[in-house]
Amino acid sequence: MTARSTFETELEQLNLDLIKMGGMIEEAIAKSIGALETSDTNIANEIISADRTVDDMEKQIEARCLRLLMRQQPVARDLRAISTALKMITDMERIGDHAADIAELTIRLDSNKPLSMAQHIPEMADIATQMVRACVKSFIDNNLEQAKETIARDDEVDDLFNVVRDELIKTLSGESDAEKANQAIDLMMIAKYLERIGDHAVNICEWVVFYDTGLHKQTQIM
Amino acid sequence: MTARSTFETELEQLNLDLIKMGGMIEEAIAKSIGALETSDTNIANEIISADRTVDDMEKQIEARCLRLLMRQQPVARDLRAISTALKMITDMERIGDHAADIAELTIRLDSNKPLSMAQHIPEMADIATQMVRACVKSFIDNNLEQAKETIARDDEVDDLFNVVRDELIKTLSGESDAEKANQAIDLMMIAKYLERIGDHAVNICEWVVFYDTGLHKQTQIM
């Protein structure tokens, strides 16, 4: 193979790795909320174990990107593709962490129907999961419009965060015991993790915009 | 100038930028807790404005790193220095965001002595500030030992997070009104931001270890 076709094979492999890692984190979020809704500690433990595989994938992809930068000395669009991947995986790994964080709190909550005091958490999780799916897809398909639409959806997650916050404060006002206060604080953290997942999806989309345009958050950097 | 000395001048400038950005975020955290302790909304607003400068610095440094990668085609140690900087600034920018997040909550809290129900927050903030200072310094001085020591300190922040959590649950149990519940939730978020700042400092240190050893989180990647 020529150096160019070796490089293209490596870039294709990089894309496949990103698709795989994207699928893993998307599944992790969806499962983490499923486990929370059904108080299923077995699934919660599975999510925590699976997060180690996500961490390993991040390292593998990182190593591939740095090797590509070092050995192939890419320029222009190829360099942008690799820099984008290198930045994206940080956010993807963090999304995986937050799914595991939610699973850990699910185990600690150990309660029947904890979501009765924070009914909008599943809706937050749905939108966050859709955002994660869309941001990875927008990179793979090089779909600038999809990246921009996904960035815009973050407001929905932020609004729902405030709704959940109000639900929990209502629960805590007036008549809460220590057990209830504990659960409310944990649910607040879960909502915060979902809000952060939305932010990480936005970061990924900002890098997709950069990949396509050379502009990162409106600044020309390459 | 030769190409090599131009490159070295660029790398020195990169270091100076990182030192400057590091100083800015360190000051932002320290001031954000000062503003919280004294309920000073003027300082809180200053911190929020200053965060835009931190965001601009991130973009400038990012642009410099990508230009260096593209034009100078660095290898080995130089490439590691640039990759490290490119990764570090993401965490540094996030630390700045969290200082601004704390300032925003300070404005919303609008209370006298909010810290009476979360007395360990200033101690958390002190350690987080020290960690941020140390992680940037360990990169500049290429001090592997300091990076490792800083990673170890994160446990102190995590332990204090649990202490603050318990303080707040105690407050919320039994007799809380909506106003108190609101404040407790905001203080919980502030503790969470400080805990995240500690995590970001750890991430930066992991990159310093990579810069020195080529190992990132125990994996050889370059």
Side-chain angles (χ1 to χ4, degrees):
Chain A
M1 277 202 290
T2 61
R4 179 72 205 162
S5 70
T6 309
F7 184 70
E8 277 176 359
T9 309
E10 285 263 13
L11 274 187
E12 274 163 31
Q13 190 55 52
L14 180 61
N15 269 354
L16 291 176
D17 284 350
L18 288 170
I19 293 170
K20 190 174 162 194
M21 189 175 172
M24 286 162 74
I25 58 174
E26 192 190 314
E27 190 187 338
I29 310 167
K31 277 174 88 172
S32 71
I33 297 302
L36 176 66
E37 283 180 298
T38 55
S39 302
D40 190 328
T41 53
N42 288 332
I43 293 181
N45 276 312
E46 273 173 41
I47 296 160
I48 295 165
S49 302
D51 189 46
R52 282 190 280 275
T53 318
V54 173
D55 292 351
D56 288 343
M57 284 239 44
E58 185 203 12
K59 284 184 201 166
Q60 276 175 38
I61 296 175
E62 198 157 72
R64 186 185 295 278
C65 289
L66 292 173
R67 275 197 309 269
L68 277 169
L69 282 178
M70 193 164 62
R71 297 195 191 140
Q72 310 280 353
Q73 313 269 329
V75 290
R77 190 163 183 85
D78 289 341
L79 177 58
R80 280 219 299 273
I82 299 166
S83 325
T84 300
L86 204 54
K87 285 289 196 172
M88 276 176 66
I89 51 172
T90 309
D91 287 291
M92 290 170 77
E93 189 262 347
R94 206 59 57 82
I95 290 170
D97 279 351
H98 290 335
D101 289 333
I102 292 170
E104 275 176 18
L105 290 177
T106 295
I107 294 168
R108 190 164 76 185
L109 267 165
D110 188 28
S111 132
N112 279 325
K113 302 192 191 288
L115 289 182
S116 57
M117 52 171 127
Q119 299 184 5
H120 287 78
I121 282 183
E123 193 181 340
M124 271 190 93
D126 270 352
I127 302 174
T129 311
Q130 288 166 25
M131 286 177 72
V132 170
R133 187 182 310 135
C135 69
V136 177
K137 203 169 176 313
S138 70
F139 175 69
I140 302 303
D141 300 343
N142 190 21
N143 186 336
L144 188 63
E145 277 318 299
Q146 187 174 32
K148 287 183 177 170
E149 280 164 29
T150 307
I151 291 172
R153 293 207 71 185
D154 194 39
D155 288 343
E156 298 175 46
V157 178
D158 290 349
D159 289 346
L160 282 167
F161 175 76
N162 288 322
V163 172
V164 171
R165 191 179 178 284
D166 289 345
E167 285 176 335
L168 289 169
I169 284 169
K170 218 168 169 182
T171 302
L172 286 170
S173 305
E175 45 94 23
S176 66
D177 56 21
E179 181 58 21
K180 219 169 183 178
N182 243 308
Q183 290 179 2
I185 292 283
D186 285 347
L187 289 167
M188 195 66 220
M189 287 298 135
I190 289 172
K192 188 69 192 170
Y193 289 130
L194 291 170
E195 189 244 359
R196 293 297 302 151
I197 288 172
D199 289 346
H200 287 298
V202 167
N203 291 344
I204 293 171
C205 290
E206 301 276 14
W207 283 104
V208 175
V209 174
F210 162 74
Y211 173 48
D212 200 71
T213 62
L215 287 166
H216 189 233
K217 300 183 196 170
Q218 276 89 55
T219 306
Q220 189 77 43
I221 56 177
M222 251 170 92
Chain B
M1 275 202 289
T2 62
R4 179 73 206 162
S5 70
T6 309
F7 184 71
E8 276 175 0
T9 309
E10 285 264 13
L11 274 187
E12 274 162 32
Q13 190 55 51
L14 179 60
N15 269 353
L16 291 176
D17 284 350
L18 288 170
I19 293 170
K20 189 173 162 196
M21 188 176 173
M24 286 163 76
I25 58 174
E26 192 190 313
E27 189 187 339
I29 310 167
K31 276 174 89 172
S32 72
I33 298 302
L36 176 66
E37 283 180 297
T38 56
S39 301
D40 190 327
T41 54
N42 288 332
I43 293 181
N45 276 313
E46 274 172 41
I47 296 161
I48 295 166
S49 302
D51 189 45
R52 281 191 280 274
T53 318
V54 173
D55 291 351
D56 288 343
M57 285 240 41
E58 186 203 12
K59 285 185 201 167
Q60 276 174 38
I61 296 175
E62 198 157 71
R64 186 186 294 278
C65 288
L66 292 174
R67 275 197 309 270
L68 277 169
L69 283 179
M70 193 165 60
R71 297 196 192 139
Q72 309 281 353
Q73 313 268 329
V75 290
R77 192 164 182 85
D78 289 341
L79 176 58
R80 279 221 298 274
I82 298 166
S83 326
T84 301
L86 205 52
K87 284 289 195 170
M88 277 176 64
I89 52 172
T90 310
D91 287 292
M92 290 169 77
E93 188 261 347
R94 207 59 57 83
I95 289 171
D97 279 352
H98 290 336
D101 290 332
I102 292 171
E104 275 176 17
L105 290 178
T106 295
I107 293 168
R108 190 165 76 186
L109 267 165
D110 187 28
S111 134
N112 279 324
K113 301 192 191 287
L115 289 182
S116 57
M117 52 171 127
Q119 298 184 6
H120 287 79
I121 281 183
E123 193 180 340
M124 271 190 94
D126 271 352
I127 302 174
T129 311
Q130 288 165 27
M131 285 178 73
V132 171
R133 187 182 310 134
C135 70
V136 177
K137 203 169 176 310
S138 70
F139 176 69
I140 302 304
D141 300 344
N142 189 22
N143 186 337
L144 188 63
E145 278 318 300
Q146 187 174 32
K148 288 182 178 171
E149 280 164 29
T150 307
I151 291 171
R153 293 207 72 185
D154 194 40
D155 287 343
E156 297 174 47
V157 178
D158 290 349
D159 289 346
L160 282 166
F161 175 76
N162 288 322
V163 171
V164 171
R165 192 180 177 283
D166 290 344
E167 286 177 336
L168 289 169
I169 284 169
K170 218 168 166 181
T171 301
L172 287 170
S173 305
E175 45 96 23
S176 65
D177 55 22
E179 180 59 20
K180 219 169 184 178
N182 242 307
Q183 290 179 1
I185 291 284
D186 285 347
L187 289 167
M188 195 65 222
M189 287 299 136
I190 289 172
K192 189 68 190 170
Y193 289 132
L194 291 170
E195 190 244 358
R196 293 297 303 152
I197 288 172
D199 289 347
H200 287 299
V202 167
N203 291 345
I204 293 171
C205 290
E206 301 276 13
W207 283 104
V208 175
V209 173
F210 162 75
Y211 173 48
D212 200 70
T213 63
L215 287 166
H216 190 233
K217 301 184 197 168
Q218 277 88 56
T219 307
Q220 190 78 43
I221 55 177
M222 250 169 95

